Amino acid sequence: MNLSDIAQTRYSTKEFDATKKIPAALFEQIKQLLRFSPSSVNSQPWHFVIAETDAAKKRMSAGTQESFIFNEPKVLNASHVILLCAKTEIDEAYMAHLLAQEEADGRFPDPAFKTTVAQGRARFVNMHRYVFKDVQHWMEKQVYLNMGTILLGAGALGVDAVPIEGMDPQALNAEFGLIEKGYTAVALVALGYRKESDFNARLPKSRLPEEEIFTLLD
Ligand SMILES: Cc1cc2nc3c(=O)[nH]c(=O)nc-3n(C[C@H](O)[C@H](O)[C@H](O)COP(=O)(O)O)c2cc1C
């Protein structure tokens, strides 16, 4: 399958087959997609809580109660559920931590480049801190790249998935003590295999026409 086919055959799974599990080696690839997802100035302002056992998925369903109850069966019946979280702060200690990781990974064969990278990152972080005043929103935007990356990746691996914004971040923050750890819940992604009866698997995709969404410059 080429990428266009994958984009058109992956779909948001509304009903998972609770008896089917993603093989460990495949899920390992999905974890690597999360880890290697790009982020502005390599800020990686994220953390992922993963539920695989029934008990863990039950805990995850703390986020899909009351008005979000329509999403609960997806969380309980998927093979794996990932809670995508964003950092709640990007401080100097974390920026030094990123730089140290880049150095350990061999990103600075020219030592002067380390200063350039540190200054470039500080420039963007400060822009979002002091000019746009949207640093939290900016970090959460990075986390949505993880979501996009794993949705396409899961499709390529033959794994079904649904992204879930219909959930209560505060309930999940409380369930996993996330705020105390410096993170906040952003969204869920449930992964597994569709049930035969999933109505959404049989519906055609609907997207706005190409001429409406693309501008081709001469
Ligand atoms: C950020 C985001 C949040 C979503 N939240 C939910 C959700 O809470 N429950 C659900 O069933 N589908 C959810 N969806 C699925 C969308 O409705 C779906 O992606 C869209 O209709 C396009 O269909 P497709 O994914 O099958 O191509 C969400 C999708 C995105 C990207």
Side-chain angles (χ1 to χ4, degrees), residues 10-12 14 71 74 144 162-166 205 207:
R10 67 139 293 283
Y11 79 108
S12 287
K14 304 289 176 174
N71 276 323
K74 296 163 198 152
Y144 275 84
V162 62
I164 298 177
E165 257 183 348
K205 274 232 183 283
R207 293 295 192 265

Side-chain angles (χ1 to χ4, degrees), residues 123-135 138:
R123 179 181 166 209
F124 275 82
V125 170
N126 286 335
M127 202 163 79
H128 287 281
R129 276 177 182 154
Y130 307 123
V131 182
F132 301 132
K133 299 185 176 68
D134 69 343
V135 77
W138 178 62

Side-chain angles (χ1 to χ4, degrees), residues 44-65:
Q44 305 166 70
W46 49 56
H47 190 82
F48 308 101
V49 181
I50 299 172
E52 183 180 357
T53 63
D54 286 347
K57 285 183 280 182
K58 183 83 195 145
R59 289 188 70 189
M60 225 34 127
S61 74
T64 50
Q65 299 304 304

Side-chain angles (χ1 to χ4, degrees), residues 31-108:
K31 277 171 61 190
Q32 296 313 312
L33 291 175
L34 291 171
R35 182 164 173 241
F36 286 98
S37 182
S39 55
S40 179
V41 292
N42 204 21
S43 52
Q44 305 166 70
W46 49 56
H47 190 82
F48 308 101
V49 181
I50 299 172
E52 183 180 357
T53 63
D54 286 347
K57 285 183 280 182
K58 183 83 195 145
R59 289 188 70 189
M60 225 34 127
S61 74
T64 50
Q65 299 304 304
E66 297 172 14
S67 64
F68 304 115
I69 201 78
F70 67 99
N71 276 323
E72 185 177 49
K74 296 163 198 152
V75 168
L76 296 179
N77 295 327
S79 167
H80 292 66
V81 181
I82 303 174
L83 174 58
L84 312 183
C85 308
K87 281 175 67 63
T88 51
E89 258 188 70
I90 184 159
D91 58 16
E92 304 315 313
Y94 181 71
M95 305 239 277
H97 173 55
L98 288 173
L99 202 65
Q101 184 69 55
E102 288 165 337
E103 185 158 44
D105 288 335
R107 296 281 303 169
F108 309 130

